[in-house]
Amino acid sequence: MPRSTLLLARSDVRALLDLDECIAAVEEAFRLHAQGRTLPPGVLGVPSVDGGFHIKAAGLRLEPGRFAVKCNGNFFHNTARHDMPNIQGLILLCDADNGYPLAVIDSIEITILRTGAATAVAAKYLSRPDSRVVTIAGCGNQGRVQLRALRRVRGIEKVHAWDTDLQRARDFAEEVCRDSGLAAAATPDLSAAVRASDICVTCTPSRQAILGPDDISPGLFLAAVGADSHDKQELDPAILRRGKVVADILDQCAEIGELHHALTAGVMTRQDVHAELADIVSGRRPGRRAPDETFVFDSTGTALQDVAAADALYRRALEAGAGTPLDFQG
């Protein structure tokens, strides 16, 4: 039984948790979910002025069990107005067998990493194995980790970078060329870029569709990462109707994801969804079987990813003697 709770700052997370470990942990969390070895994931959204809060919780039936709850504030004017992160918060990791608070963790790095990790897991099963060209729509921190994660599972050679701020896309492309040697260029034409791509990731705070059905070519793997609340949307519902939809968590996507908009528009039912990601990872449902299949991964972000990443981090922190001990019960 631990005697104290670890405080793990953003710098601790950055030093201890790498992307490969996070991808492996997230894939295992979805596999456990398919096996019924998780505590039911839940989500709560609380709107505020110019933003809002997301509270997400879930657990893994490990030995010992783990439970995590994350509270993130999403305020997308922060960087411009206050020189603060747009998304910030905390994760509380607990022993799921007795409730003991094991760690309090800054959520920024974990949120970035686990979101990219989920896309990598989905792309491993749903994108064409020979995928080489990717479009990243949204060139912030999440766009960066999405590209890094995709390169772990596919031999990416060319990158189209798009952002509402074209200079931001140019900076992103220059950074990719410099740091990775990939062929990368900014584009003002998102539609043309996606039609020329094998994979597309949308990771923007958009509240209206930035892609329509005519932008999608057969065989595309499209990961929609931005929609994680009722009012956020990146895809025209017709894209989901025409493709095979894989949800990270079906109930959650039906409430706050791209699926929510397709259901509201009446172009899909929940029964039209091909699978949850857990079904794909576990083999209960098929992944890609033909080159011309078009897949849409509705990635709303589940606390299953958070608890998996937080547990991996906590174990590494114990091994390294990292973090600041806190005593809440003294």
Side-chain angles (χ1 to χ4, degrees):
M1 175 79 176
R3 294 177 179 270
S4 62
T5 303
L6 280 185
L7 174 64
L8 295 167
R10 185 177 185 183
S11 58
D12 295 317
V13 182
R14 191 181 291 120
L16 293 168
L17 184 64
D18 65 42
L19 182 56
D20 290 312
E21 186 174 14
C22 194
I23 291 171
V26 166
E27 183 170 5
E28 180 61 15
F30 281 108
R31 186 172 288 109
L32 291 172
H33 191 53
Q35 296 169 356
R37 296 174 58 194
T38 58
L39 305 179
V43 60
L44 173 66
V46 180
S48 184
V49 178
D50 288 338
F53 295 90
H54 287 174
I55 299 94
K56 294 180 177 178
L60 303 177
R61 296 187 186 277
L62 303 170
E63 294 183 5
R66 293 289 185 255
F67 170 82
V69 60
K70 179 174 75 175
C71 179
N72 264 4
N74 294 2
F75 292 81
F76 289 100
H77 298 292
N78 272 3
T79 299
R81 294 179 182 176
H82 309 297
D83 194 27
M84 295 169 61
N86 288 338
I87 302 175
Q88 57 193 332
L90 294 172
I91 296 172
L92 175 64
L93 178 69
C94 298
D95 187 316
D97 299 332
N98 56 37
Y100 192 92
L102 299 171
V104 178
I105 307 166
D106 180 272
S107 72
I108 294 177
E109 291 297 320
I110 281 186
T111 298
I112 292 171
L113 287 174
R114 62 77 147 156
T115 307
T119 297
V121 173
K124 174 181 172 181
Y125 294 92
L126 303 177
S127 67
R128 292 194 302 259
D130 62 349
S131 294
R132 297 291 182 265
V133 182
V134 61
T135 292
I136 302 293
C139 296
N141 287 331
Q142 192 51 238
R144 287 169 170 81
V145 78
Q146 290 288 325
L147 179 58
R148 286 173 54 209
L150 285 170
R151 294 188 67 201
R152 297 304 203 275
V153 296
R154 291 293 180 257
I156 304 302
E157 297 175 353
K158 185 175 182 180
V159 180
H160 300 290
W162 179 89
D163 197 280
T164 53
D165 181 344
L166 185 57
Q167 185 57 50
R168 196 181 195 198
R170 292 191 182 109
D171 293 343
F172 177 92
E174 289 176 7
E175 178 184 311
V176 170
C177 291
R178 182 183 67 245
D179 295 346
S180 69
L182 297 178
T187 177
D189 190 341
L190 178 60
S191 298
V194 175
R195 287 194 296 270
S197 295
D198 306 304
I199 295 172
C200 174
V201 180
T202 58
C203 45
T204 75
S206 179
R207 282 165 169 75
Q208 60 184 9
I210 59 174
L211 286 176
D214 294 338
D215 302 326
I216 310 303
S217 299
L220 182 72
F221 168 69
L222 172 58
V225 175
D228 58 2
S229 63
H230 295 88
D231 60 338
K232 292 169 72 175
Q233 180 181 12
E234 297 178 306
L235 309 183
D236 186 299
I239 294 175
L240 282 75
R241 182 186 64 205
R242 295 184 185 182
K244 288 188 173 181
V245 176
V246 174
D248 53 7
I249 298 292
L250 177 58
D251 288 344
Q252 189 168 300
C253 291
E255 288 293 325
I256 61 174
E258 295 295 341
L259 178 61
H260 158 71
H261 297 289
L263 296 175
T264 300
V267 301
M268 284 184 69
T269 68
R270 290 166 64 107
Q271 289 69 38
D272 294 325
V273 174
H274 176 68
E276 286 189 325
L277 184 56
D279 298 318
I280 302 294
V281 169
S282 66
R284 292 195 310 203
R285 293 285 291 159
R288 178 176 291 275
R289 293 186 290 188
D292 61 349
E293 287 181 302
T294 300
F295 281 94
V296 179
F297 175 45
D298 195 359
S299 178
T300 54
T302 166
L304 292 173
Q305 299 158 235
D306 297 312
V307 67
D311 179 56
L313 170 68
Y314 178 68
R315 294 173 188 273
R316 289 288 300 274
L318 291 180
E319 293 171 359
T324 303
L326 303 173
D327 186 1
F328 290 112
Q329 301 179 2

